[in-house]
Amino acid sequence: MPYEHPRDGTPETGSAPRRAPSMLHRLAAERATGAFTRAAGTLFLVDGEVVHAESGAATGLELLLTRCCPLSQADWEAALSRAAREGGVAQHLVACGLVPAGVLDLCRRTALYDAAFFVLATGGGAGRFRRGVRDRLGVPRGLPPTAVERETARRLALLDRIWPDARVDVLPPVRTAPVAPTVPGRQLPILRLADGARTATDIARILGRPTFHLLVELRRLAAGGLVVPALPAGPEPHGRQPPPAPAHPPPQEASPAQAPQQETTAGGGPSAAVAPGHEFPDPDVALLRRLRDALEAW
């Protein structure tokens, strides 16, 4: 079952990030309906609320549903065909007994936050809005854009607290050694698939997990020295370009109270931390693992 947020001890609430996308705020104030699109994907609005999100970097709703429900790909395609004629994939799945309403709502919100993270993160470029465009899911109520932006900022801050190197998010991870039997069970499948060819998005889809939650585990593996990003052979995928970094060792994990406030850029997304350069000293693995275990137990 997909989960809404990783357990990191970070408060669920907080102030909305500053200088968030002005167009999105204006559309919310106008109670607009349509599609807000940036380079990494699209947010669908109904009456100014975000009801659905799609991104090529995120794990789609259908994969989350087929992992936790007896829903086949044929059932999903049939629901999409029906929605093209009558609208409302969500209502059809529940009415036919294919997906319980509670499971659908949980998976829908998980997929929404997962895709919105990539749409609103730094590097997405300017946005454009197509009025009247509807998504196929057909959910009447959604989330305020400020709530979606706040969650995106929280997630960026969490990733940078775990390991401040965004390259592992966009470059295929590769194991530094054979699979270690001592890593947590949830990380073993990720290590086995970290072959230097598959990206985080590829691994998340194979495992049927939200991509952001896969990034959390990849950053933890990177902090433990178990994976490194493969050298790029061309343009980095999904538009998240890690900035050049200082040649200093990365800081130790900070507590939630000490984490720096994340802001959004003028282009629309919360700003990512500066990533380390291509060479940096080996981390204190024992210390990082103790910090990780303490956070997970909190």
Side-chain angles (χ1 to χ4, degrees):
M1 175 71 67
Y3 50 94
E4 191 70 24
H5 304 294
R7 288 187 60 206
D8 60 294
T10 305
E12 295 281 337
T13 59
S15 59
R18 293 175 287 173
R19 299 203 309 271
S22 59
M23 179 186 292
L24 197 55
H25 287 187
R26 185 173 68 252
L27 294 170
E30 295 173 359
R31 298 181 62 84
T33 296
F36 175 79
T37 301
R38 298 181 78 205
T42 300
L43 304 182
F44 293 92
L45 279 68
V46 173
D47 293 333
E49 294 186 330
V50 181
V51 295
H52 185 53
E54 294 178 355
S55 171
T59 302
L61 175 61
E62 68 277 14
L63 288 178
L64 300 181
L65 289 175
T66 53
R67 182 173 180 243
C68 63
C69 299
L71 178 72
S72 66
Q73 187 63 32
D75 292 332
W76 177 258
E77 295 295 337
L80 290 180
S81 298
R82 181 186 179 98
R85 300 188 305 270
E86 306 172 14
V89 171
Q91 182 179 3
H92 172 73
L93 293 175
V94 173
C96 293
L98 296 171
V99 180
V103 173
L104 176 63
D105 185 61
L106 176 60
C107 290
R108 179 183 68 84
R109 288 174 179 264
T110 300
L112 189 157
Y113 281 126
D114 199 38
F117 171 79
F118 295 98
V119 176
L120 296 179
T122 301
R128 64 189 182 94
F129 186 69
R130 294 169 291 162
R131 292 188 181 275
V133 176
R134 295 266 188 168
D135 70 291
R136 295 176 294 183
L137 200 58
V139 178
R141 295 298 304 274
L143 300 167
T146 52
V148 179
E149 291 162 356
R150 182 166 57 245
E151 176 60 13
T152 298
R154 187 193 74 87
R155 292 181 175 210
L156 282 168
L158 168 62
L159 290 178
D160 289 335
R161 285 200 306 275
I162 295 172
W163 184 249
D165 188 345
R167 293 175 300 169
V168 76
D169 298 353
V170 294
L171 299 176
V174 60
R175 296 187 300 272
T176 58
V179 176
T182 56
V183 302
R186 66 180 179 278
Q187 294 178 350
L188 280 174
I190 301 173
L191 270 180
R192 294 190 181 105
L193 293 172
D195 57 1
R198 299 181 178 96
T199 64
T201 297
D202 297 330
I203 297 173
R205 288 174 177 167
I206 291 171
L207 298 177
R209 299 184 189 179
T211 304
F212 170 75
H213 300 143
L214 200 286
L215 294 183
V216 169
E217 300 303 338
L218 272 180
R219 294 268 189 133
R220 287 171 175 162
L221 289 169
L226 297 176
V227 299
V228 293
L231 293 178
E236 294 181 358
H238 310 320
R240 289 198 68 202
Q241 303 289 341
H248 299 294
Q252 297 177 359
E253 260 184 76
S255 67
Q258 296 170 325
Q261 177 69 29
Q262 296 292 315
E263 296 185 357
T264 60
T265 65
S271 59
V274 174
H278 288 279
E279 296 183 4
F280 46 85
D282 292 335
D284 186 338
V285 176
L287 173 62
L288 290 170
R289 285 177 175 166
R290 288 199 299 273
L291 287 170
R292 180 200 64 195
D293 293 340
L295 285 171
E296 291 178 348
W298 191 17

